[in-house]
Every structure is written in C-alpha cells, then in structure tokens.
Amino acid sequence: MKPAQLIPCLNWKCPGIPLLLFQFVTPEDVDKLIGMDLVHFIQENFKKRECVFFTKDAKSIDNLCKCGHTKSQHIEGTQINNHEKWNYKKHTKEFPTDAFGDIEFENLGKRGKYIRLSYDTDSETLYDLMTQHWHLKTPNLIISVTGGAKNFALKPRMRKIVSRLIYIAQSKGAWIFTGGTHYGLMKYIGEVVRDNTISRTSEENVVAIGIAAWGMVSNRDSLIRSCDAEASYSAQYIMDDLKRDPLYCLDNNHTHLILVDNGTHGCPATEAKLRTQLEKYISERIIPDSNYGGKIPIVCFAQGGGKETLKAINTAVKSKIPCVVVEGSGQIADVVASLVEAEGTVTSSSVKERLLRYLPRTLSRLTEEETESWIRWIKEVLESPHLLTVIKIEEAGDEIVSNAISFALYKAFSTNEQDKDNWNGQLKLLLEWNQLDLASEEIFTNDRHWESADLQDVMFTALVKDRPKFVRLFLENGLNLRKFLTNEVLTELYTNNFSSLVFKNLQIAKNSYNDALLTFVWKMVEDFRRGIKKEDKNIKDEIEIQLLDVSLITRHPLQALFIWAVLQNKKELSKVIWEQTRGCTLAALGASKLLKSLAKVKNDINAAGESEELANEYETRAVELFTECYSGDEDLAEQLLIYSCEAWGGSNCLELAVEAKDQQFIAQPGVQNFLSKQWYGEISRDTKNWKIILCLFLFPLIGCGFISFRKKPTDNRKKLFLYYVSFFTSPFVVFSWTVIFYIAFLLLFAYVLLMDFQKEPTTLELILYVLVFILLCDEVRQWYMNGSKYFKDLWNVMDSLGIFYFIAGIVFRLYSSNETAWYSGRVIFCLDYIIFTLRLIHIFTVSRNLGPKIIMLQRMMIDVFFFLFLFAVWMVAFGVARQGILRKNEHRWEWIFRSVIYEPYLAMFGQYPDDIDATTYSFQHCTFNGNESKPLCVEVDSNNHPRFPEWITIPLVCIYMLSTNILLVNLLIAMFGYTVGSVQENNDQVWKFQRYFLVQEYCNRLTIPFPFVIFAYIYMVMRKLLKCCCKNEYNQPSICCSRNEDNETLAWEAVMKENYLVKNTKAYDSSEEMVHRFRQLDLKVVTLQILMETCTGFMDKSTAASYKLTKLLNSIT
C-alpha cells in the first residue's frame, strides 16, 4: 500500500493527527501513529484516583487508611486527616490514568482491551472510547447480567440459559455487561463466550464487557504501564485462582475490561454507579436505524445474587429498564420471582417471609435497619410489575430466553409514555425478535385499522429477515402486495439483499443449460443489478447484454418477488409468496425447474440437497393443486397446462415440468388424459387401435361410422370430408402411417443391400435415395424449429448420424470404376442400416410394456460405459504382462493389439488362452520372424523349449479369469439389476414421462403422412422465399394475461388454490393437535415416573402418593 492510499484511512481513525503528517509515513509506522493518538486521547480524558489524605481507620489493626491502603502506599505529599470523615471526592485526587492498552492472560493466549478510569468518568467519553477507538460496532441491544458473583456450581439448565443468552447476543449484535471477574456467573458467561467464538470470525465475536472495581482486582500492579511504555502496550496478567485474598482475578474470556477507580482498595461494588450511568446513557442515545423506536434497548438479566443484585434490579426498574429474572436460580432472584407471581397486595411481612425462605443465612446477619432497606428495595421493584419478566429454570428451552427478553422489551416499550402510541416502533421490535403471537394479540386487534402504506416498511424488513409468518400477518391485515412491490423495492431486494454466490450459480446454470427460463431470470437479476455495475468505475470490459423491458417486471412484480425468494432457498417465505401469485401451478413448476438447475451447479452438497428438497416440494404442490383443479373442471384444468407467461420465460406448465424432469407431474391422470387427447386428435379415445390401423388400408370405413370422433360436424354436407381430415391429421394416425412406411423403407434398404446392389444405381436404389432425402428434410425442419435443443435428444443425433453416413456411402458408391471405393460404399451402407434399424426402438416407447424396457437399456448402456473403465484396467494389465512374458520384441501393431486387447477381451467370455501352457503349445501356428500372418512365437531357450515359467503364466491366467469372469461380470450384472429395479419401481411413471416426448414430436410435425410430406416441405420453402422478397410486417407481441380466457382461467385457478390451501390447513391443524396431545401425554408420564420414585423412597407417604397416582392415571385414561 502506498503512503497516499493511507491518508483517508488514517485521518478517519485518528482525527486528532494533522493530515500533513501522513504524507511521508510508511506502512510500518501506521500502528505507532494510531497508538499515539489513542494514548493522547486516553490520557487527556481518563483519570485515575489516588488518596491524598491519610485518614486512619479506627477499626483496622494494620494502621490502614479509610481508603484501604497503608500510609506507605500513598503517594508522596499525602496529608494527615484526623477530623473530617473520609470522602473520595474530597480526599482523593485525579491523575492521568496509567493502566490501559491490551491485556494478555499468561499461558492462555487470550487478549482483550482494558482501561482504568475514575469513578465519575463521563459516560459519553467512555462510549466514544469504546466505539471510535476500540472500534466496537454500535450495539443493537445491551444485556446487563447481574447476580451470582461468588463461586458456585452452575446448574445444567442454567448453563443452557446462559448459552442461549450468548447466542442471542451474537445474533443480535448485542453488548453483554458483567462484573468481569473470574468468579460465579461471570466466569461461566466467559466460558460460553469462548466456546461460541472459537469457530467464528472476528466480526462475529461476542462483545463481553466486564466492569469491575479497580480496588478489587488481584495482581493489578501488572496492569500499570511503565513510564517508557510504547503506545501499543500489552500487559501480561497472571490469573492466580489459588491465591487466598479477598481480591478477584479478571476473567480471561471477556473482550473488554473497564476498571473503575475511586481511590480505594478492597471496597466492592464501587463500579455500580458508573455501570448504571453508562447503561442509561447508551439506552437514551438516538439511533436513526434502530428497530426499537430510534433507541438502543437495554435489558437487565438477573439470576441468584444478593444485596448488589437487588440494588441492580432496583436501579434498573427506577431507570425504566426491563428486567428478566430467573426463577429457580436461588437467592434474591427467587424472592423477586415469587413475589411477582403472588396474588394480592405485597406487604412487608410477605416480603420478609420470602427472604426467610430463600435467604435465611443472609437475613440472619442483617440488622433490623438493613432488613427494612431490603424490604423497601423489593417493594420499590414490585411497584413496576410491567418491567419484570420471570422465566422458570425448569422450563428452560431454546426459545424461552429470547421470548422472555423480547416480551420484557415490548412491555417496557409499550408502557413508556413516549412510545406507547408508537405502534410502528412496537411492531418493528416484535418483528426483530420474531414474536408473532404478541404482534397478533397486542397490535393487530379488531379496534385498530391499518393502511397498506403503514405496513410497507415492516414488510420490507420481514422479507429481508426471512419472517414468513409476519409476511402472512401483514397480508392478512391489509397490505397490498402489488402496490408495495414497486421497482425501487425490487431493485433494493435484488441488489443489497441478494447473494452474489446465488447470482454466480445462476450465471453458471444459464451458460450450462441455456434454456428460456434461466436466461429470463438471469437477465432480470442483471437488470436489477445494473445500477451497481454503473457505479463500479473499475470495471472496464463490461459485457453488453440485452436487458429486459422494465414494463415486463412491473406487470409481474409478484413473480419477481417469488423468484427472489426461491433463488435464495427461503423455503417458508417463498411458499407464502407463492400463495399470492397468479398462475400458481406454473409458478410451482417454474420454481422446481430453477431449484433443480441451481442444485446441479452448487459446490456445497448440503445447499444442493436443500435446493433439491425444496424443488420436490414445489413439484408436489403443483401435482396436488392441479389434481384439485382437474377434479373441479377438466377443460379449465387443461387450459392451465398450455397457459404460458412471459414472467416464466414464455414457457407453459408442460414445458417447465419436462425441463425440470418432474415425472410425478407429467404422470398424473389429468396430464395423461390431455396428452391422450393430443395424441388421438379428433378421434375418440374409446376407439380401438386396431380399428384405426385397419382404416389406414380401408379408407371407406372412416365414413361408415367404423371410427368414432369426439365432435360431430354441424354441416352434414361437409361431414364426410371433415371426418377424413380429422382422421388423417390425427398424430396417432400420422405416427402409424410413418411406422408402416419406415418399416417398408427398411425392407427396401435390406433388399437393395442383399439382392440388388449393382455397379450403377437401380430404380429401387434411387427410390431409396429419395426416401432418405425426405428424412433429411424432416430433420432439417426439426433442427430449424428447435434450434440447439435438437441435439439434446439422442434419437435426433442418431437420425443425423444415419443420414450423414448414408450420404458418405453414396459418395463412395458412385465411384463404381474404383472397386475399393465401391466396396467401401457398400460397407458404409451396411453399417448405416444398423443405425436406421436401431431407430425403430424409439417407436416402441409408445408401448406401455416395451417403453420402460427401452429406458432400462439406455441406463444399462451407461452402466456398461463405466464398467469398461474397470475392465480396461484388468485387461491392459494382464495383456501387457502376458505379451512381455511370452514374446520378445513384437513390432507388428496389429498383433500387439490382438495379444494385449483382443485375446484378453475374449478371455472374459470364457475363451482360454492356449499359449500359456508349454505342454500344449504348438509352433506350427506361429512365426519366428514376424513375416507371416501369424502370431509371433514365444521365446525359447537353448533346447528350443518355451522359456516362459508355467508357474507364473498359468496362475496369472487363473487370477485374471477369476477376476473378470466372476468378479467383474457379476458386478456388471448387479449394476444391471439395480438399474432395472430402480426403473421398475417407477415403471408406469417413467413410461408416461417418456411418452410425452413422442406425443409432442408428432403433434409438432406436419399432419401429412410420410412420404407425402415432401410436397408440404416444397410449399413451405417456396412461401419462405416469397416472404423474403416482400416487406416484413411487424407483429406486436401479445402480452400474457391480457386475454379474457387467460384471466378467467387464472381466476378459477385462484379459487381452486384456496380450496387446496384450506384442505392442507385442516390436515396441518389436525397433525398439530396430535403433536400437542402427545406432548401432554409425555408430561404426564414424566410426572408419573417422579411420583413412583417418590413412593419408593418414602413409604410412609404412600396414601397421598397413591391418591395422586390414581388421579393421574384416570386423567391419562
């Protein structure tokens, strides 16, 4: 980094240092300059206190001052005070603080910030130190923990509560205030902070701030800086837990330590006033972006504790700070909790009774005056019950702590005089803590009417924070989603609240699959992110793309929001938005397609699995919704299948389902009935197939009522003509006619190859050329219509190869004067015949029985392909070793191939090699010189006997044949069995899915039987040429959802969707009720077990326990 690049950064961090000083600064000096500025700021604004009047403590036997120090420990120039009562303001003096910097705990490797400061330090100055110089982020919440300052064994349930408290602080960006010492609850909080930040980045670390009394810190001399200390000072602090003194060790897991000094030694709780003032100052700061009415909320969290905990709760309540008290943690927390839940007026006697119950030893040591003070403090606390929230330790769960804190904050916020009418602020608070029940019960009441504009801010927050239940609540209470989704809102969502990784995966998927939907979605996201690219001046080679029309997005804002939620795997939120969209069936299939495409390009296996799971859920929703629609009205349901929308790339339901490979959707009865209607055209589906095939040869039967049609012609004069047109334009008839002529073509091809292949082409061979030309025209038409998708179909590739080889055969065959070329042409024709014949397999996909078998064959070919890799390893290893052992220096490549590849391959099928056994080897079938068409003889010894050792070659062949014939071949059979079984499980579904492609292929073909379709191709070419000569007329593209038919269909689908959702809601409610009943039963069983243990241990109380058992068993029954 150059010095010039450091100037803005340094001037921001160190505003007190002149800018000119940085013009020649080197990077090595940056930390020193910043440290100097920090030292200057601290020494100017933070002080320590030293006692300057020695006031002897009459109660002390060690000649101590009232401040707790000996006379020798006082500074030079200390005066003697024998008359006045010692007071820190009058008898102590402020000096620049000498203890600050980084604290490093010896042997633990933990580091943090610390500072020693005066008792009456200004809170604003301290807050500036924390945020501007310690670079702490502005907190979203302050959690002030009090109670349990002495060592004790933390209960497992309380540890769970503490863990949840730290998790809340981490997720909410909160600061935690504690006493900062390595004792009691503070020690356990530090341990949980450590455990929660081990695997986190520095930005996600919990901010745990310990505020302790300087005079109570053990080994505090190690924290004092020397006079020649550098700016960036790091104190080495030793934690001595075994040291026997009343002082405390600092906790090594707190991130920041504030040590409050009032000039005393050994006086506890001197930090309480500064801590209270700091909390009050932070809570009163105005934060414009806060979700709590523009302020930073603060909550007091109390467990156990004694006098100081009670005073902390009392001070918090007086400062209007809500308190969460843990019942069951003991001591003062149980006293307050029991009195909060008590009925009637709280009297002094009832308070004292609770103190005797929970604090008997502490109360026995108090004087009457002190006891009255405790009672008064407790009664003052109970005067504000709305600021007290109690959680029971035995009910500690994952959500109980967050619910308690959010409820406490809401009660304090809603009862505050300034904010009780700020409903928007209250709603933001509940939204931040995801408290749906409170929002429903307290804010969205029947006596309050909400305008759509009032909910737009919180709606945006709910979308960003992924709060689906709140989104549903806002929609139910008057939010107009279409008005809310302006172009500015969508732009904000797609730019600042859209994952760059998702956009990268989307771009990879678009480039990999290049289909209409992915291209549309990518262009839409790119359009929203266009503003970011324009602001980035460092991008030089920006790709120019054709962006979408803004009006398209404004016409479909709900779909744009739904796609935003789907792309980021917001499962529940996307479902809520899906319920609001038009064309829900199409939207569900589009979501399935997007998620499956993204799952294929994601590197994270877990993320890909989540996308696949959500895609399957949307496929199931599409199936269930369409089933509901089809049961209501078949005709309108079929209209939904062909309804397309520009918001989904102009695709319809069938196209999206096929691209997503949603076999379950295609295989359902409603879709199959629609495909059957397309397959048979105007012919009734009740007509037998043999009748249709018979009419192909006996045309007059069509007009004799032999074939039934779905619609009766209204014009009797054209009745016969319409019947013939309807019959011959049926895709099934075109398919049948094509199959018949294709079989005739193959017979003609075989006859020419076997019986009529002359030097010059015969008439039959020329007819064959014409038929192949017609096939070529049909393939060109398909390629022109489908574009790059044409080559994604294996059968199209096979057709192209067959025609290409046929043309190559013609080229060689026409050179009849060259015998070699003529013969090569015949060989190519013979090989090409195999391709044309295998093309017949595609025709069998129409059969319910043969169709799945063809799919099995296709998948088994994939298994064979991978199997060959395994087999090649064994084959090459054995072949090379065998050839090297038996023969020396074979130079003929064709014989090397036979020996290394061909013969080991045959051995896999049981052909035993005869050249590895010297007793049966014959030199008559080999050559020594390699000049004959025979294999090279094996190497011989001086006696002309085979040299190879049989004890190597024979076991080698045995091992090879064992591995290949038994292991590998059986592995291949097992792979085939698994493939067949997987297809057989979904036999019917797979066939129905594959049937779609055949139906669409013949529905998209010209309705003219082969080979007469050549005349239609000639007509189409001529019309295209004539259009090129004329001026092109511009056709205005139709806007989807603009037709009345589409609007009626979508309106009807919306009604059926509501019916579907009502049925699902009832099923969900019943399942929730069953879960609730099982939970109640489980609680009763647990109670039963406890009572049985009690009965076993205390037999003298058997009567009462038996009564309880009987009552409980009756309730269970």
Side-chain angles (χ1 to χ4, degrees), residues 243-257:
K243 188 176 181 181
R244 298 295 180 180
D245 61 17
L247 304 183
Y248 299 143
C249 290
L250 296 175
D251 185 66
N252 59 301
N253 292 308
H254 281 62
T255 58
H256 300 79
L257 294 168

Side-chain angles (χ1 to χ4, degrees), residues 425-692:
Q426 297 176 29
L427 188 55
K428 285 183 178 181
L429 188 150
L430 297 178
L431 176 62
E432 175 69 24
W433 289 89
N434 200 19
Q435 296 297 316
L436 181 73
D437 294 337
L438 272 177
S440 302
E441 297 171 2
E442 302 292 337
I443 296 180
F444 291 100
T445 56
N446 295 329
D447 59 343
R448 190 175 298 115
H449 176 71
W450 291 84
E451 296 292 339
S452 178
D454 299 334
L455 299 173
Q456 290 185 359
D457 290 342
V458 289
M459 180 64 171
F460 184 84
T461 305
L463 291 173
V464 172
K465 292 184 175 294
D466 193 11
R467 302 279 195 262
K469 294 182 179 179
F470 270 94
V471 171
R472 191 188 300 277
L473 181 66
F474 299 153
L475 292 172
E476 291 173 353
N477 285 274
L479 178 73
N480 190 318
L481 193 57
R482 184 171 290 274
K483 291 182 179 180
F484 164 70
L485 292 174
T486 60
N487 190 55
E488 290 75 15
V489 170
L490 291 172
T491 301
E492 181 68 18
L493 290 174
Y494 273 98
T495 51
N496 298 328
N497 298 283
F498 192 79
S499 172
S500 58
L501 179 60
V502 173
F503 180 70
K504 182 180 178 181
N505 290 334
L506 181 63
Q507 190 168 10
I508 295 173
K510 179 193 76 78
N511 295 332
S512 302
Y513 305 107
N514 195 26
D515 59 59
L517 178 58
L518 287 172
T519 303
F520 167 80
V521 173
W522 179 80
K523 284 185 178 181
M524 181 182 69
V525 178
E526 183 70 15
D527 190 21
F528 284 123
R529 296 168 67 89
R530 178 173 50 180
I532 297 179
K533 284 193 173 183
K534 285 184 178 180
E535 294 174 2
D536 191 356
K537 298 181 181 179
N538 295 325
I539 297 178
K540 297 180 180 179
D541 300 327
E542 186 178 335
I543 300 175
E544 294 183 359
I545 58 171
Q546 184 179 359
L547 298 175
L548 298 175
D549 184 9
V550 178
S551 61
L552 189 150
I553 300 171
T554 56
R555 287 197 300 269
H556 306 284
L558 296 180
Q559 283 81 352
L561 179 63
F562 177 62
I563 291 172
W564 173 82
V566 166
L567 289 177
Q568 299 188 104
N569 266 21
K570 295 181 182 293
K571 183 177 179 181
E572 298 300 328
L573 180 61
S574 64
K575 290 179 181 178
V576 175
I577 302 170
W578 174 79
E579 295 173 5
Q580 307 298 320
T581 59
R582 298 186 71 191
C584 291
T585 308
L586 183 63
L589 294 171
S592 176
K593 169 68 175 66
L594 282 176
L595 290 166
K596 288 184 178 179
S597 299
L598 290 175
K600 294 177 183 178
V601 299
K602 287 183 177 179
N603 296 325
D604 189 348
I605 298 177
N606 294 329
E610 292 175 0
S611 296
E612 284 281 354
E613 182 183 355
L614 186 55
N616 294 332
E617 288 187 21
Y618 273 110
E619 180 187 359
T620 304
R621 284 203 162 203
V623 171
E624 293 175 349
L625 178 57
F626 183 77
T627 302
E628 181 73 21
C629 294
Y630 194 77
S631 63
D633 191 309
E634 296 183 7
D635 294 333
L636 288 175
E638 291 174 355
Q639 289 296 321
L640 283 176
L641 293 176
I642 59 175
Y643 161 73
S644 61
C645 181
E646 58 189 354
W648 296 104
S651 303
N652 59 36
C653 291
L654 290 176
E655 292 169 348
L656 289 178
V658 170
E659 290 175 0
K661 296 183 179 179
D662 291 337
Q663 296 185 2
Q664 186 182 356
F665 183 83
I666 297 295
Q668 59 180 320
V671 177
Q672 289 299 307
N673 290 338
F674 176 74
L675 293 178
S676 296
K677 286 183 179 180
Q678 286 187 318
W679 183 237
Y680 287 98
E682 295 299 325
I683 300 176
S684 176
R685 286 183 296 164
D686 298 332
T687 306
K688 302 296 183 181
N689 290 343
W690 64 268
K691 290 184 177 183
I692 299 175

Side-chain angles (χ1 to χ4, degrees), residues 141 270 513:
L141 173 68
T270 57
Y513 305 107

Side-chain angles (χ1 to χ4, degrees), residues 39 115 236 253 263 332 428 459 498 762 829 931 969 1053 1071:
V39 171
I115 187 172
Q236 303 295 319
N253 292 308
I332 201 67
K428 285 183 178 181
M459 180 64 171
F498 192 79
T762 62
F829 278 148
N931 55 0
V969 173
E1053 184 200 28
S1071 62

